[in-house]
Amino acid sequence: MATLAASRQSRARFFSSQMLARRANSILVFLTLLFLAVVVIGIPVGWVFLTALKDAKQIFAWPPNIFPDPIRWDNYTGVIESLPFLRFAANTLFIAVMNIIGRVLSCSLVAFTFARLRFPGRDFLFMLLLSTMMIPHQVTLIPTFALFQKLGWVGTYLPLIVPSFFGDAFFIFLMRQYIMTLPRDLDEAARIDGATTWDIFARIIMPLCIPPMVLITVLTFLWKWNDFLNPLIYISNYDDYTIQLGLNMLKGRFNIQWGMIMAGSLLAMSPCVIIYFLTQKYLIGGLANVGIKG
Protein backbone atom coordinates (compact mmCIF):
# COMPACT_ATOMS: atom_id res chain seq x y z
CA MET A 1 0.00 0.00 0.00
CA ALA A 2 2.81 2.36 0.93
CA THR A 3 4.50 1.71 -2.43
CA LEU A 4 1.24 2.37 -4.31
CA ALA A 5 0.67 5.68 -2.45
CA ALA A 6 4.23 6.80 -3.18
CA SER A 7 3.75 5.98 -6.84
CA ARG A 8 0.55 8.07 -6.97
CA GLN A 9 2.27 11.00 -5.26
CA SER A 10 5.21 10.91 -7.69
CA ARG A 11 2.78 10.74 -10.65
CA ALA A 12 0.81 13.70 -9.27
CA ARG A 13 4.02 15.72 -8.85
CA PHE A 14 5.03 14.84 -12.43
CA PHE A 15 1.70 16.02 -13.89
CA SER A 16 1.77 19.12 -11.69
CA SER A 17 5.26 20.04 -12.92
CA GLN A 18 4.13 19.47 -16.53
CA MET A 19 1.14 21.77 -16.02
CA LEU A 20 3.34 24.47 -14.52
CA ALA A 21 5.74 24.17 -17.45
CA ARG A 22 2.85 24.57 -19.91
CA ARG A 23 1.55 27.63 -18.08
CA ALA A 24 5.01 29.17 -18.00
CA ASN A 25 5.39 28.50 -21.71
CA SER A 26 2.00 30.11 -22.44
CA ILE A 27 2.86 33.18 -20.36
CA LEU A 28 6.21 33.49 -22.13
CA VAL A 29 4.54 33.30 -25.57
CA PHE A 30 1.91 35.84 -24.51
CA LEU A 31 4.51 38.30 -23.22
CA THR A 32 6.59 37.90 -26.40
CA LEU A 33 3.59 38.58 -28.65
CA LEU A 34 2.56 41.51 -26.44
CA PHE A 35 6.05 42.99 -26.69
CA LEU A 36 6.07 42.61 -30.49
CA ALA A 37 2.59 44.18 -30.75
CA VAL A 38 3.70 47.17 -28.68
CA VAL A 39 6.87 47.63 -30.74
CA VAL A 40 5.30 47.13 -34.18
CA ILE A 41 1.88 48.74 -33.62
CA GLY A 42 1.72 50.54 -30.28
CA ILE A 43 4.79 52.76 -30.60
CA PRO A 44 4.08 54.04 -34.18
CA VAL A 45 0.37 54.66 -33.49
CA GLY A 46 1.18 56.29 -30.15
CA TRP A 47 3.77 58.54 -31.79
CA VAL A 48 1.23 59.57 -34.46
CA PHE A 49 -1.40 60.27 -31.77
CA LEU A 50 0.96 62.40 -29.66
CA THR A 51 2.34 64.26 -32.69
CA ALA A 52 -1.21 65.17 -33.76
CA LEU A 53 -1.57 67.05 -30.45
CA LYS A 54 1.56 69.19 -30.88
CA ASP A 55 2.36 72.35 -32.80
CA ALA A 56 5.34 72.59 -35.14
CA LYS A 57 7.63 73.94 -32.39
CA GLN A 58 6.95 70.96 -30.13
CA ILE A 59 7.26 68.45 -32.97
CA PHE A 60 10.79 69.58 -33.88
CA ALA A 61 11.94 70.37 -30.33
CA TRP A 62 15.29 68.93 -29.20
CA PRO A 63 15.53 67.03 -26.96
CA PRO A 64 12.16 65.73 -28.14
CA ASN A 65 9.08 66.23 -25.99
CA ILE A 66 7.21 62.95 -25.84
CA PHE A 67 4.02 64.38 -24.33
CA PRO A 68 2.44 67.55 -25.78
CA ASP A 69 2.43 70.60 -23.51
CA PRO A 70 0.09 72.36 -24.12
CA ILE A 71 -2.21 70.01 -26.01
CA ARG A 72 -3.15 71.43 -29.43
CA TRP A 73 -6.46 70.17 -30.81
CA ASP A 74 -6.40 72.66 -33.69
CA ASN A 75 -4.61 70.15 -35.93
CA TYR A 76 -7.88 68.19 -36.16
CA THR A 77 -9.99 71.27 -36.90
CA GLY A 78 -7.30 72.44 -39.34
CA VAL A 79 -7.66 69.25 -41.40
CA ILE A 80 -11.43 69.65 -41.60
CA GLU A 81 -11.17 73.34 -42.51
CA SER A 82 -8.30 73.17 -45.01
CA LEU A 83 -9.60 70.14 -46.90
CA PRO A 84 -13.06 68.95 -47.96
CA PHE A 85 -12.33 65.96 -45.75
CA LEU A 86 -15.86 64.58 -45.64
CA ARG A 87 -16.20 64.81 -49.43
CA PHE A 88 -12.93 62.95 -49.92
CA ALA A 89 -14.09 60.34 -47.41
CA ALA A 90 -17.40 59.96 -49.27
CA ASN A 91 -15.55 59.53 -52.59
CA THR A 92 -13.33 56.85 -51.06
CA LEU A 93 -16.31 55.12 -49.49
CA PHE A 94 -18.12 55.03 -52.85
CA ILE A 95 -15.11 53.43 -54.56
CA ALA A 96 -14.69 50.92 -51.73
CA VAL A 97 -18.37 49.91 -51.70
CA MET A 98 -18.48 49.43 -55.48
CA ASN A 99 -15.33 47.30 -55.31
CA ILE A 100 -16.87 45.21 -52.53
CA ILE A 101 -20.01 44.58 -54.59
CA GLY A 102 -17.98 43.71 -57.66
CA ARG A 103 -15.58 41.35 -55.93
CA VAL A 104 -18.17 39.53 -53.86
CA LEU A 105 -20.34 38.86 -56.92
CA SER A 106 -17.61 37.96 -59.40
CA CYS A 107 -15.33 36.01 -57.05
CA SER A 108 -18.16 33.92 -55.58
CA LEU A 109 -19.51 33.06 -59.04
CA VAL A 110 -16.09 32.08 -60.44
CA ALA A 111 -15.18 30.19 -57.26
CA PHE A 112 -18.45 28.21 -57.41
CA THR A 113 -17.67 27.33 -61.03
CA PHE A 114 -14.23 25.99 -60.17
CA ALA A 115 -15.42 24.20 -57.02
CA ARG A 116 -18.65 22.57 -58.16
CA LEU A 117 -18.88 22.38 -61.95
CA ARG A 118 -16.97 19.92 -64.12
CA PHE A 119 -15.69 21.00 -67.53
CA PRO A 120 -12.61 20.25 -69.66
CA GLY A 121 -9.47 22.10 -68.59
CA ARG A 122 -10.90 23.20 -65.23
CA ASP A 123 -7.76 22.41 -63.22
CA PHE A 124 -5.49 23.97 -65.85
CA LEU A 125 -7.56 27.15 -65.92
CA PHE A 126 -7.53 27.31 -62.13
CA MET A 127 -3.75 26.95 -62.03
CA LEU A 128 -3.49 29.61 -64.74
CA LEU A 129 -5.66 31.86 -62.59
CA LEU A 130 -3.46 31.29 -59.54
CA SER A 131 -0.34 32.05 -61.56
CA THR A 132 -1.62 35.59 -62.14
CA MET A 133 -1.02 36.27 -58.45
CA MET A 134 2.71 36.05 -59.16
CA ILE A 135 2.57 39.05 -61.51
CA PRO A 136 3.42 42.29 -59.67
CA HIS A 137 0.89 45.08 -59.99
CA GLN A 138 3.59 47.44 -61.28
CA VAL A 139 4.15 45.22 -64.34
CA THR A 140 0.58 45.67 -65.56
CA LEU A 141 0.36 49.35 -64.63
CA ILE A 142 1.33 50.82 -68.00
CA PRO A 143 -0.69 48.40 -70.20
CA THR A 144 -3.83 48.89 -68.11
CA PHE A 145 -3.38 52.66 -68.14
CA ALA A 146 -3.02 52.59 -71.95
CA LEU A 147 -6.16 50.45 -72.21
CA PHE A 148 -8.24 52.73 -69.97
CA GLN A 149 -6.95 55.77 -71.82
CA LYS A 150 -8.12 54.25 -75.13
CA LEU A 151 -11.51 53.66 -73.55
CA GLY A 152 -11.65 57.26 -72.34
CA TRP A 153 -11.93 56.24 -68.69
CA VAL A 154 -8.93 58.21 -67.36
CA GLY A 155 -10.17 61.00 -65.12
CA THR A 156 -13.19 58.99 -63.96
CA TYR A 157 -13.84 56.36 -61.28
CA LEU A 158 -14.30 53.59 -63.86
CA PRO A 159 -10.66 52.32 -63.81
CA LEU A 160 -10.94 52.06 -60.02
CA ILE A 161 -14.26 50.19 -60.03
CA VAL A 162 -14.80 48.14 -63.21
CA PRO A 163 -11.82 45.71 -62.76
CA SER A 164 -13.32 44.50 -59.48
CA PHE A 165 -16.29 43.04 -61.41
CA PHE A 166 -13.90 40.68 -63.21
CA GLY A 167 -12.75 38.86 -60.08
CA ASP A 168 -9.56 38.65 -58.10
CA ALA A 169 -7.35 35.56 -58.11
CA PHE A 170 -6.64 35.65 -54.38
CA PHE A 171 -10.28 35.97 -53.34
CA ILE A 172 -11.40 33.38 -55.91
CA PHE A 173 -8.92 30.96 -54.38
CA LEU A 174 -10.25 31.65 -50.87
CA MET A 175 -13.88 31.21 -51.93
CA ARG A 176 -13.16 28.02 -53.88
CA GLN A 177 -11.39 26.46 -50.92
CA TYR A 178 -14.29 27.30 -48.64
CA ILE A 179 -16.95 26.03 -51.05
CA MET A 180 -15.06 22.74 -51.40
CA THR A 181 -15.50 22.17 -47.66
CA LEU A 182 -19.29 22.18 -48.10
CA PRO A 183 -20.74 18.68 -48.64
CA ARG A 184 -21.81 17.80 -52.17
CA ASP A 185 -24.84 16.04 -50.75
CA LEU A 186 -26.48 19.46 -50.57
CA ASP A 187 -26.15 19.85 -54.35
CA GLU A 188 -27.42 16.36 -55.05
CA ALA A 189 -30.41 16.75 -52.75
CA ALA A 190 -31.26 20.06 -54.38
CA ARG A 191 -31.03 18.57 -57.89
CA ILE A 192 -33.37 15.75 -56.87
CA ASP A 193 -35.83 18.45 -55.82
CA GLY A 194 -35.51 20.04 -59.26
CA ALA A 195 -33.11 22.89 -58.50
CA THR A 196 -30.99 24.28 -61.31
CA THR A 197 -27.28 25.12 -61.05
CA TRP A 198 -28.12 28.77 -60.51
CA ASP A 199 -30.56 27.83 -57.72
CA ILE A 200 -27.86 25.77 -56.00
CA PHE A 201 -25.44 28.69 -56.23
CA ALA A 202 -27.81 31.44 -55.15
CA ARG A 203 -30.03 29.65 -52.63
CA ILE A 204 -27.76 27.01 -51.09
CA ILE A 205 -24.06 27.81 -51.51
CA MET A 206 -24.09 31.58 -51.14
CA PRO A 207 -25.97 31.64 -47.79
CA LEU A 208 -23.34 29.24 -46.41
CA CYS A 209 -20.44 31.41 -47.57
CA ILE A 210 -20.90 34.30 -45.13
CA PRO A 211 -17.42 34.00 -43.47
CA PRO A 212 -15.38 34.24 -46.70
CA MET A 213 -17.66 36.98 -48.05
CA VAL A 214 -17.11 39.00 -44.88
CA LEU A 215 -13.38 38.40 -45.30
CA ILE A 216 -13.52 39.69 -48.90
CA THR A 217 -15.58 42.68 -47.80
CA VAL A 218 -13.24 43.75 -45.03
CA LEU A 219 -10.00 43.22 -46.94
CA THR A 220 -11.35 45.00 -50.02
CA PHE A 221 -12.49 47.93 -47.90
CA LEU A 222 -9.10 48.21 -46.19
CA TRP A 223 -7.19 48.02 -49.47
CA LYS A 224 -9.35 50.51 -51.31
CA TRP A 225 -9.66 52.91 -48.38
CA ASN A 226 -5.88 53.07 -48.08
CA ASP A 227 -5.12 52.95 -51.81
CA PHE A 228 -3.00 55.87 -52.94
CA LEU A 229 -1.31 54.81 -56.19
CA ASN A 230 -4.31 54.03 -58.39
CA PRO A 231 -6.33 57.17 -57.52
CA LEU A 232 -3.17 59.20 -58.08
CA ILE A 233 -2.88 57.79 -61.60
CA TYR A 234 -6.48 57.92 -62.74
CA ILE A 235 -8.11 60.82 -60.88
CA SER A 236 -7.32 64.38 -61.93
CA ASN A 237 -10.36 66.37 -60.79
CA TYR A 238 -9.92 67.86 -57.29
CA ASP A 239 -13.53 67.19 -56.31
CA ASP A 240 -13.06 63.50 -57.12
CA TYR A 241 -10.01 63.04 -54.88
CA THR A 242 -9.92 60.20 -52.39
CA ILE A 243 -8.96 60.66 -48.76
CA GLN A 244 -5.38 59.50 -49.33
CA LEU A 245 -4.86 62.02 -52.13
CA GLY A 246 -6.37 64.71 -49.93
CA LEU A 247 -3.93 63.95 -47.09
CA ASN A 248 -1.06 64.15 -49.54
CA MET A 249 -2.05 67.76 -50.31
CA LEU A 250 -1.01 68.73 -46.77
CA LYS A 251 2.57 68.02 -47.86
CA GLY A 252 3.60 71.13 -49.75
CA ARG A 253 6.79 71.73 -51.69
CA PHE A 254 8.42 73.92 -49.05
CA ASN A 255 6.24 73.31 -46.00
CA ILE A 256 5.00 70.04 -44.54
CA GLN A 257 2.29 70.34 -41.90
CA TRP A 258 3.19 67.27 -39.87
CA GLY A 259 0.67 67.90 -37.10
CA MET A 260 -2.25 68.11 -39.53
CA ILE A 261 -0.98 65.10 -41.48
CA MET A 262 -0.90 63.04 -38.30
CA ALA A 263 -4.36 64.22 -37.27
CA GLY A 264 -5.74 63.47 -40.75
CA SER A 265 -4.08 60.05 -40.73
CA LEU A 266 -5.77 59.18 -37.44
CA LEU A 267 -9.14 60.35 -38.77
CA ALA A 268 -8.62 58.33 -41.95
CA MET A 269 -7.55 55.26 -39.96
CA SER A 270 -10.51 55.26 -37.59
CA PRO A 271 -13.06 53.60 -39.98
CA CYS A 272 -10.61 50.75 -40.63
CA VAL A 273 -10.12 50.15 -36.91
CA ILE A 274 -13.87 50.23 -36.22
CA ILE A 275 -14.62 47.79 -39.05
CA TYR A 276 -11.88 45.45 -37.89
CA PHE A 277 -13.19 45.26 -34.33
CA LEU A 278 -16.78 44.79 -35.53
CA THR A 279 -15.88 41.94 -37.88
CA GLN A 280 -12.88 40.28 -36.22
CA LYS A 281 -14.99 37.25 -35.27
CA TYR A 282 -15.88 36.62 -38.92
CA LEU A 283 -12.33 37.39 -40.06
CA ILE A 284 -10.78 34.82 -37.76
CA GLY A 285 -13.49 32.28 -38.58
CA GLY A 286 -13.14 32.86 -42.31
CA LEU A 287 -9.39 32.47 -42.27
CA ALA A 288 -9.62 29.35 -40.11
CA ASN A 289 -12.16 27.67 -42.34
CA VAL A 290 -10.46 28.46 -45.66
CA GLY A 291 -7.96 25.92 -46.90
CA ILE A 292 -9.18 22.92 -44.93
CA LYS A 293 -9.79 20.98 -48.12
CA GLY A 294 -7.63 21.44 -51.22
Side-chain angles (χ1 to χ4, degrees), residues 132-185:
T132 60
M133 289 194 295
M134 308 301 171
I135 302 174
H137 178 60
Q138 291 79 4
V139 174
T140 60
L141 207 57
I142 294 177
T144 51
F145 179 82
L147 173 64
F148 293 143
Q149 192 177 34
K150 289 285 184 183
L151 295 173
W153 289 2
V154 175
T156 69
Y157 287 148
L158 292 176
L160 306 176
I161 294 175
V162 173
S164 66
F165 285 84
F166 291 89
D168 180 274
F170 176 65
F171 290 137
I172 291 172
F173 170 74
L174 290 179
M175 284 288 290
R176 173 186 177 269
Q177 297 303 102
Y178 188 86
I179 292 174
M180 290 183 70
T181 64
L182 303 177
R184 283 186 173 272
D185 296 343

Coordinates of all heavy atoms in Angstrom, one line a residue, residues 132-185:
T132 N -1.5 34.1 -62.0 CA -1.6 35.6 -62.1 C -1.3 36.3 -60.8 O -1.0 37.5 -60.9 CB -3.0 36.0 -62.6 OG1 -4.0 35.6 -61.7 CG2 -3.3 35.4 -64.0
M133 N -1.4 35.6 -59.7 CA -1.0 36.3 -58.4 C 0.5 36.6 -58.4 O 0.9 37.4 -57.5 CB -1.5 35.4 -57.3 CG -3.0 35.4 -57.1 SD -3.5 34.7 -55.5 CE -2.9 33.0 -55.6
M134 N 1.3 35.8 -59.2 CA 2.7 36.1 -59.2 C 3.1 37.3 -59.9 O 4.3 37.7 -59.9 CB 3.4 34.8 -59.7 CG 3.0 33.5 -59.1 SD 3.3 33.5 -57.3 CE 2.5 32.0 -56.9
I135 N 2.2 37.9 -60.7 CA 2.6 39.1 -61.5 C 2.4 40.3 -60.6 O 1.4 40.6 -60.1 CB 1.6 39.2 -62.7 CG1 1.7 37.9 -63.6 CG2 2.0 40.4 -63.6 CD1 0.7 37.8 -64.7
P136 N 3.5 41.1 -60.5 CA 3.4 42.3 -59.7 C 2.5 43.3 -60.3 O 2.4 43.4 -61.6 CB 4.9 42.8 -59.6 CG 5.7 41.6 -60.0 CD 4.9 40.8 -60.9
H137 N 1.8 44.1 -59.5 CA 0.9 45.1 -60.0 C 1.6 46.1 -60.9 O 1.0 46.6 -61.8 CB 0.2 45.8 -58.8 CG -0.7 46.9 -59.2 ND1 -1.8 46.7 -60.0 CD2 -0.7 48.2 -58.9 CE1 -2.5 47.8 -60.2 NE2 -1.8 48.8 -59.6
Q138 N 2.9 46.4 -60.5 CA 3.6 47.4 -61.3 C 3.8 47.0 -62.7 O 4.0 47.9 -63.6 CB 4.9 47.7 -60.6 CG 4.8 48.4 -59.3 CD 4.5 47.5 -58.1 OE1 4.4 46.3 -58.3 NE2 4.3 48.0 -56.9
V139 N 3.9 45.7 -63.0 CA 4.1 45.2 -64.3 C 3.0 45.5 -65.3 O 3.2 45.9 -66.4 CB 4.4 43.7 -64.3 CG1 4.5 43.1 -65.7 CG2 5.7 43.4 -63.5
T140 N 1.8 45.4 -64.7 CA 0.6 45.7 -65.6 C 0.1 47.1 -65.5 O -0.9 47.4 -66.1 CB -0.6 44.8 -65.1 OG1 -0.9 45.1 -63.7 CG2 -0.2 43.3 -65.2
L141 N 0.8 48.0 -64.8 CA 0.4 49.3 -64.6 C 0.3 50.1 -65.9 O -0.8 50.7 -66.3 CB 1.3 50.1 -63.7 CG 0.7 51.2 -62.8 CD1 -0.5 50.8 -62.0 CD2 1.8 51.8 -61.9
I142 N 1.3 50.1 -66.7 CA 1.3 50.8 -68.0 C 0.3 50.3 -69.0 O -0.4 51.0 -69.7 CB 2.8 50.9 -68.6 CG1 3.7 51.7 -67.6 CG2 2.8 51.5 -70.0 CD1 5.1 51.7 -68.0
P143 N 0.3 48.9 -69.2 CA -0.7 48.4 -70.2 C -2.1 48.7 -69.8 O -2.9 49.1 -70.7 CB -0.4 46.9 -70.2 CG 1.0 46.7 -69.7 CD 1.2 47.9 -68.8
T144 N -2.4 48.6 -68.5 CA -3.8 48.9 -68.1 C -4.1 50.4 -68.2 O -5.2 50.8 -68.6 CB -4.1 48.5 -66.7 OG1 -3.0 49.0 -65.8 CG2 -4.1 47.0 -66.5
F145 N -3.1 51.2 -68.0 CA -3.4 52.7 -68.1 C -3.6 53.0 -69.6 O -4.5 53.8 -70.0 CB -2.2 53.5 -67.6 CG -2.3 54.9 -67.8 CD1 -3.0 55.7 -66.9 CD2 -1.8 55.6 -68.9 CE1 -3.2 57.1 -67.1 CE2 -1.9 57.0 -69.1 CZ -2.6 57.7 -68.1
A146 N -2.8 52.4 -70.5 CA -3.0 52.6 -72.0 C -4.4 52.1 -72.4 O -5.1 52.8 -73.2 CB -1.9 51.9 -72.8
L147 N -4.8 51.0 -71.8 CA -6.2 50.5 -72.2 C -7.3 51.4 -71.7 O -8.2 51.7 -72.5 CB -6.3 49.1 -71.6 CG -7.7 48.5 -71.7 CD1 -8.1 48.2 -73.2 CD2 -7.8 47.2 -70.9
F148 N -7.2 51.8 -70.5 CA -8.2 52.7 -70.0 C -8.2 54.1 -70.7 O -9.2 54.7 -70.8 CB -8.1 52.9 -68.5 CG -8.3 51.6 -67.7 CD1 -7.6 51.3 -66.6 CD2 -9.3 50.8 -68.1 CE1 -7.8 50.1 -65.9 CE2 -9.6 49.6 -67.4 CZ -8.8 49.3 -66.3
Q149 N -7.0 54.5 -71.1 CA -6.9 55.8 -71.8 C -7.6 55.6 -73.2 O -8.3 56.6 -73.6 CB -5.5 56.2 -72.0 CG -5.3 57.6 -72.5 CD -3.9 58.0 -72.5 OE1 -3.0 57.2 -72.9 NE2 -3.5 59.2 -72.3
K150 N -7.4 54.5 -73.8 CA -8.1 54.3 -75.1 C -9.6 54.2 -75.0 O -10.4 54.7 -75.8 CB -7.7 52.9 -75.7 CG -6.2 52.9 -76.2 CD -6.1 53.6 -77.6 CE -4.7 53.5 -78.1 NZ -4.5 54.3 -79.3
L151 N -10.1 53.7 -73.8 CA -11.5 53.7 -73.5 C -12.1 55.0 -73.1 O -13.3 55.1 -73.0 CB -11.8 52.6 -72.5 CG -11.5 51.1 -72.9 CD1 -11.7 50.2 -71.7 CD2 -12.4 50.7 -74.0
G152 N -11.2 56.0 -72.8 CA -11.7 57.3 -72.3 C -12.1 57.3 -70.9 O -12.9 58.1 -70.5
W153 N -11.5 56.3 -70.1 CA -11.9 56.2 -68.7 C -11.0 57.0 -67.8 O -11.4 57.2 -66.6 CB -11.9 54.8 -68.3 CG -13.0 54.0 -68.9 CD1 -14.0 54.4 -69.8 CD2 -13.3 52.6 -68.6 NE1 -14.8 53.4 -70.1 CE2 -14.4 52.3 -69.4 CE3 -12.7 51.6 -67.9 CZ2 -15.0 51.0 -69.4 CZ3 -13.2 50.3 -67.9 CH2 -14.4 50.0 -68.7
V154 N -9.9 57.5 -68.2 CA -8.9 58.2 -67.4 C -9.6 59.5 -66.9 O -10.1 60.3 -67.8 CB -7.6 58.5 -68.1 CG1 -6.7 59.3 -67.2 CG2 -6.9 57.1 -68.4
G155 N -9.5 59.8 -65.7 CA -10.2 61.0 -65.1 C -11.5 60.7 -64.5 O -12.2 61.6 -64.0
T156 N -11.9 59.4 -64.6 CA -13.2 59.0 -64.0 C -12.9 57.9 -62.9 O -11.8 57.4 -62.8 CB -14.2 58.5 -65.0 OG1 -13.7 57.2 -65.5 CG2 -14.3 59.5 -66.2
Y157 N -14.0 57.4 -62.3 CA -13.8 56.4 -61.3 C -13.8 55.0 -61.9 O -13.6 54.0 -61.2 CB -15.0 56.4 -60.3 CG -14.9 57.6 -59.3 CD1 -16.0 58.2 -58.8 CD2 -13.6 58.0 -58.8 CE1 -15.9 59.2 -57.9 CE2 -13.5 59.0 -57.9 CZ -14.7 59.6 -57.4 OH -14.6 60.7 -56.5
L158 N -14.1 54.9 -63.2 CA -14.3 53.6 -63.9 C -13.1 52.7 -63.7 O -13.2 51.5 -63.5 CB -14.7 53.8 -65.3 CG -16.1 54.3 -65.6 CD1 -16.4 54.6 -67.0 CD2 -17.2 53.4 -65.0
P159 N -11.8 53.2 -64.0 CA -10.7 52.3 -63.8 C -10.5 51.8 -62.4 O -9.8 50.8 -62.2 CB -9.5 53.2 -64.2 CG -10.1 54.3 -65.0 CD -11.4 54.5 -64.5
L160 N -11.1 52.5 -61.4 CA -10.9 52.1 -60.0 C -12.1 51.1 -59.6 O -12.0 50.5 -58.5 CB -10.9 53.3 -59.1 CG -9.9 54.4 -59.4 CD1 -10.1 55.5 -58.5 CD2 -8.5 53.8 -59.3
I161 N -13.1 51.0 -60.4 CA -14.3 50.2 -60.0 C -14.5 49.0 -60.9 O -14.7 47.9 -60.5 CB -15.5 51.1 -60.0 CG1 -15.4 52.1 -59.0 CG2 -16.8 50.2 -59.9 CD1 -16.6 53.1 -59.0
V162 N -14.4 49.2 -62.3 CA -14.8 48.1 -63.2 C -13.9 46.9 -63.1 O -14.5 45.8 -63.1 CB -14.7 48.7 -64.6 CG1 -14.9 47.6 -65.7 CG2 -15.8 49.8 -64.8
P163 N -12.6 47.0 -62.9 CA -11.8 45.7 -62.8 C -12.3 44.8 -61.6 O -12.1 43.6 -61.7 CB -10.4 46.2 -62.5 CG -10.4 47.6 -63.1 CD -11.7 48.2 -62.9
S164 N -12.9 45.3 -60.6 CA -13.3 44.5 -59.5 C -14.4 43.6 -59.9 O -14.6 42.5 -59.3 CB -13.8 45.4 -58.3 OG -14.9 46.1 -58.6
F165 N -15.2 43.9 -61.0 CA -16.3 43.0 -61.4 C -15.8 41.9 -62.3 O -16.6 41.1 -62.8 CB -17.3 43.9 -62.2 CG -18.2 44.7 -61.3 CD1 -17.7 46.0 -60.9 CD2 -19.4 44.3 -60.9 CE1 -18.5 46.8 -60.1 CE2 -20.2 45.1 -60.1 CZ -19.8 46.3 -59.7
F166 N -14.5 41.8 -62.5 CA -13.9 40.7 -63.2 C -13.1 39.7 -62.3 O -12.3 38.9 -62.8 CB -13.0 41.2 -64.3 CG -13.8 41.9 -65.4 CD1 -14.0 43.3 -65.4 CD2 -14.3 41.2 -66.5 CE1 -14.8 43.9 -66.3 CE2 -15.0 41.8 -67.5 CZ -15.3 43.2 -67.4
G167 N -13.3 39.8 -61.0 CA -12.8 38.9 -60.1 C -11.4 39.2 -59.6 O -10.7 40.2 -60.1
D168 N -10.9 38.5 -58.7 CA -9.6 38.6 -58.1 C -9.0 37.3 -57.8 O -9.7 36.5 -57.1 CB -9.6 39.5 -56.8 CG -8.2 39.7 -56.2 OD1 -7.8 38.9 -55.4 OD2 -7.6 40.8 -56.6
A169 N -7.9 36.9 -58.3 CA -7.4 35.6 -58.1 C -7.3 35.1 -56.7 O -7.6 34.0 -56.3 CB -6.0 35.5 -58.8
F170 N -6.8 36.0 -55.8 CA -6.6 35.7 -54.4 C -8.0 35.3 -53.7 O -8.2 34.3 -53.0 CB -6.0 36.8 -53.7 CG -5.8 36.6 -52.2 CD1 -5.0 35.6 -51.7 CD2 -6.5 37.4 -51.3 CE1 -4.9 35.4 -50.3 CE2 -6.3 37.2 -49.9 CZ -5.6 36.2 -49.4
F171 N -9.0 36.2 -54.0 CA -10.3 36.0 -53.3 C -11.0 34.8 -54.0 O -11.8 34.1 -53.3 CB -11.1 37.2 -53.5 CG -10.6 38.4 -52.6 CD1 -10.6 39.7 -53.1 CD2 -10.2 38.1 -51.3 CE1 -10.1 40.7 -52.3 CE2 -9.8 39.2 -50.5 CZ -9.7 40.5 -51.0
I172 N -10.8 34.6 -55.3 CA -11.4 33.4 -55.9 C -10.8 32.1 -55.3 O -11.6 31.1 -55.0 CB -11.1 33.4 -57.4 CG1 -11.9 34.5 -58.1 CG2 -11.5 32.1 -58.1 CD1 -11.6 34.8 -59.5
F173 N -9.5 32.1 -55.0 CA -8.9 31.0 -54.4 C -9.5 30.7 -53.0 O -9.9 29.6 -52.6 CB -7.4 31.2 -54.3 CG -6.7 30.2 -53.4 CD1 -6.5 28.9 -53.9 CD2 -6.2 30.5 -52.2 CE1 -5.8 28.0 -53.1 CE2 -5.6 29.6 -51.4 CZ -5.4 28.3 -51.8
L174 N -9.7 31.8 -52.2 CA -10.2 31.6 -50.9 C -11.7 31.1 -50.9 O -12.0 30.2 -50.2 CB -10.2 33.0 -50.2 CG -8.9 33.6 -49.7 CD1 -9.1 34.9 -49.0 CD2 -8.2 32.6 -48.8
M175 N -12.5 31.7 -51.8 CA -13.9 31.2 -51.9 C -14.0 29.8 -52.4 O -14.8 29.0 -51.9 CB -14.6 32.1 -52.9 CG -15.0 33.5 -52.3 SD -16.3 33.4 -51.1 CE -17.7 32.9 -52.2
R176 N -13.1 29.4 -53.4 CA -13.2 28.0 -53.9 C -12.8 27.0 -52.8 O -13.5 26.0 -52.6 CB -12.2 27.9 -55.0 CG -12.0 26.4 -55.5 CD -10.9 26.3 -56.6 NE -10.7 25.0 -57.0 CZ -9.9 24.1 -56.5 NH1 -9.1 24.5 -55.4 NH2 -9.7 22.9 -56.9
Q177 N -11.8 27.4 -52.0 CA -11.4 26.5 -50.9 C -12.5 26.3 -49.9 O -12.7 25.2 -49.4 CB -10.1 27.0 -50.2 CG -8.9 27.1 -51.1 CD -8.6 25.7 -51.8 OE1 -8.9 25.5 -52.9 NE2 -8.0 24.9 -51.0
Y178 N -13.2 27.4 -49.6 CA -14.3 27.3 -48.6 C -15.5 26.5 -49.2 O -16.1 25.7 -48.5 CB -14.7 28.7 -48.3 CG -15.7 28.7 -47.1 CD1 -15.3 28.7 -45.8 CD2 -17.1 28.7 -47.4 CE1 -16.2 28.7 -44.7 CE2 -18.0 28.7 -46.3 CZ -17.6 28.7 -45.0 OH -18.5 28.7 -44.0
I179 N -15.8 26.8 -50.5 CA -17.0 26.0 -51.1 C -16.7 24.5 -51.1 O -17.6 23.7 -50.9 CB -17.3 26.6 -52.5 CG1 -17.8 28.0 -52.3 CG2 -18.3 25.7 -53.2 CD1 -18.0 28.7 -53.6
M180 N -15.4 24.2 -51.3 CA -15.1 22.7 -51.4 C -15.2 22.0 -50.1 O -15.3 20.8 -50.0 CB -13.6 22.6 -51.9 CG -13.5 22.9 -53.4 SD -11.8 22.7 -54.1 CE -11.8 20.9 -54.1
T181 N -15.3 22.8 -49.0 CA -15.5 22.2 -47.7 C -17.0 21.9 -47.4 O -17.3 21.1 -46.5 CB -15.0 23.1 -46.5 OG1 -15.8 24.3 -46.5 CG2 -13.5 23.4 -46.7
L182 N -17.9 22.4 -48.2 CA -19.3 22.2 -48.1 C -19.6 20.8 -48.7 O -19.2 20.5 -49.8 CB -20.1 23.3 -48.8 CG -19.8 24.7 -48.3 CD1 -20.6 25.7 -49.0 CD2 -20.1 24.8 -46.8
P183 N -20.4 20.0 -48.1 CA -20.7 18.7 -48.6 C -21.5 18.8 -50.0 O -22.4 19.6 -50.1 CB -21.6 18.0 -47.5 CG -22.1 19.2 -46.7 CD -21.1 20.3 -46.8
R184 N -21.1 17.9 -50.9 CA -21.8 17.8 -52.2 C -23.2 17.2 -52.1 O -24.0 17.3 -53.0 CB -21.0 17.0 -53.2 CG -19.8 17.7 -53.7 CD -19.1 16.9 -54.8 NE -18.1 17.7 -55.5 CZ -18.3 18.5 -56.5 NH1 -19.5 18.6 -57.0 NH2 -17.3 19.1 -57.1
D185 N -23.5 16.6 -50.9 CA -24.8 16.0 -50.8 C -25.9 17.1 -50.8 O -27.0 16.9 -51.2 CB -24.9 15.3 -49.4 CG -24.0 14.1 -49.3 OD1 -23.6 13.7 -50.4 OD2 -23.7 13.7 -48.2

